[in-house]
Amino acid sequence: IKLTGTCARVLIVSIFVLQLHSDGDRGDGSVRYVLTGEGAGTLFKIDEKSGDIHATKRLDREEKAYYILHAKAVNQFTNEALEGESEFIIKIHDINDNEPRFTKDPYMASVPEMSDVGTSVIQVTAIDADDATYGNSARVVYSILEGQPYFSVDPETGLIKTALPGMDREVKEHYQVVIQAKDMAGQMGGLSGTTTVSITLSDVNDNPPRFTKTLYEFRVPESNELGSSVGAIRAMDADIGPNAEMDYRIIGSDGPGMFDVTTNRSTQEGVILLRKPLDFEKKRQYSLRIQVENSHINPHFYSSGPFRDEATIKIVVEDVDEPPLFERASYIMEVKEDAARNTIVGSVSASDPDDKRSPVRYTIDRRTDMDRVFNIHAGNGSVFTLRDLDREESAWHNISVIATEFNNPRLMSRVPVYIRVLDVNDNAPTFATNYETFVCENAKANQRIQTVSATDPDEPLGGHRFTFSLAPEAAGKANFSVRDNKDNTAWILTRRSSYNSLQKSVYHVPVVISDGEYPMQSSTSTLTIRVCTCDREGNMKLCNPEALTARVGLSTGALVAILLCVIILLSEFRGLRQRKKEPLIISKEDVRDNVVSYNDEGGGEEDTQAFDIGTLRNPEAIEDSKQRRDIIPETFYPPVRRPVLPPSRDNNGDVRDFINQRLQENDSDPTAPPYDSLATYAYEGNGSVAESLSSLESVTTEGDQDYNYLSEWGPRFKKLADMYGGDDSDRDS
């Protein structure tokens, strides 16, 4: 098959491309041409009889540069191939139909201000879709259309550079540069494209700060608080951002330390602060020299001059009507506690600091002196007493004195006044505690029985020096002596041996205590000494009943009151009885007659306390200190009261039934007294050394008993021992 024809870059629809022809085609219509491959039947169509190939639509090399097709000739009637299949390629020749296109539009770039000529800014790039290997259709050349004379562009690479020196951001910050890219190497007839480049000059610190004025003036009241703002100044800097940050400082002042200046970072202002109190009467005007300087200086621009500036600040102090001013921040005064009323303690002084010198009036803040112990002279500030003082009650008085202007009472000031009350020896020493002591009956002479000390609310400068001595009125017939130990203590000593509690059970020793200060104070304190029975080691075993009563704490008046109450209650109960009780024992011959008539028991009872008739009448008034009578006393302290034990099983049944019957009758009788005399003899105990003394079990003759053991029971049973414990001859005599 022979191929004839050409194909252009752009074709019009149904334009002839080429013709296929077979050597076997005689022109009689027996040959049919068949086309297969890329675009066959759609993009390319063939005339089956003539073999002409036409393009059905426009071809674009940028879409597809070539097509591969296959053609063959077959018999029209038998479809047999007349020749083998042939392959051919249709190539699309390029034409300049695409303009250069930039990769971005617009471009954004920045360059520092004051940059040198030739400083690179940004590189732009344009791409041409035409075939770079065929002619100059894809060869691009760059040029600058707008932005001269500030910038230039490299025609081959598209690199934009600065073209003008000394470009100042403060003069012009933003630039719009238009760059053109043209193919065909920039020749006539070439296609071109453009893009915009926005170039911003970035700031550098090339401008120093400058004050807008050389002299600033501020007015401030003298009452301004410390740390308050006096005023603010601001220097101008054409730079921005960190390049415009600045620092302020005082480089000169006629009031050192009076003021300070700080920088407000958000506004870049210099704030002047007050550091010391202002006083219009002392100084009415101040002058400051302030310097401002950039915080970040670029060394490249040192030659541009100093990046600092200076200004003068004038501060005028305005007068304010101030309250009175005390000469001191606080006052400390002293006064003796025996000072008479209206005694001057001290004085305070305040004055009006203003030029008018208004008179001052003094008062005491009564909230600090609620008891009105002190007062103050309104005119001269003298503090004096209104009441008697007592250091032992209050050693310090803290009051507040108020000073007000006479012409303007709203202006006032306060000052604390601390008044110390000085000690005066006006208290006599006394015993340090309530001493309780005893002496043994078998004590020896000059034996120490107690050590005493003293206390005194006064506080002498050299400390206490107490002296102890026996009262003069007791020195002549004293049974005890007082020895001063010279260390603020004293010993109480016996002056004789052998004390007898039966003769005298309690001794009162008057002790004179002196403090030795001026004026000397003394007092007489009484030491109560009880006489007690002790063992050989000196340990107390038993004391007299009076001492026991004193230890319990019942005074004579209290005992009398209790007895009167008991008598009144008994009288009331007797008046309420409406019927006469049946006698317990009808016949005197009854064996129980001895039980009823027996009015006292000896040592034969195990627990006499449980059936005390006084306890039954008044259960609340239990005598805890009552001593056992059936055993030898062993200790001074009263025994623990034991509860009433229930009757044991071995008690006489008849007696128990009789008692229970009478108990039930009395419980059900609202008029009966709250006692039953028979209850005291419910049963008898056992285990007593002396056994029972009841007549129920007594022997018939008195001579069968041996009472010598009573002499071993101590002084309490001495009377019985003398009556029953002697020989027969003694009893007869």
Side-chain angles (χ1 to χ4, degrees), residues 647-666:
S648 60
R649 294 182 179 179
D650 58 352
N651 287 342
N652 188 285
D654 294 337
V655 175
R656 182 169 62 253
D657 294 339
F658 178 81
I659 291 174
N660 291 336
Q661 180 181 357
R662 285 293 182 263
L663 179 61
Q664 184 176 2
E665 291 177 0
N666 282 272

Side-chain angles (χ1 to χ4, degrees), residues 450-487:
Q450 182 66 44
T451 300
V452 296
S453 61
T455 183
D456 190 337
D458 294 323
E459 295 181 358
L461 296 178
H464 292 295
R465 294 182 178 86
F466 299 126
T467 58
F468 302 84
S469 62
L470 193 63
E473 62 271 16
K477 51 181 180 179
N479 294 287
F480 300 91
S481 61
V482 178
R483 177 184 296 176
D484 192 346
N485 296 326
K486 307 300 181 181
D487 59 354

Side-chain angles (χ1 to χ4, degrees), residues 211 247-249 251 289-293 308-311:
F211 284 111
D247 296 319
Y248 298 85
R249 63 190 182 97
I251 60 175
R289 190 69 179 168
I290 303 293
Q291 183 185 84
V292 62
E293 185 176 15
R308 66 177 65 94
D309 197 11
E310 297 180 1

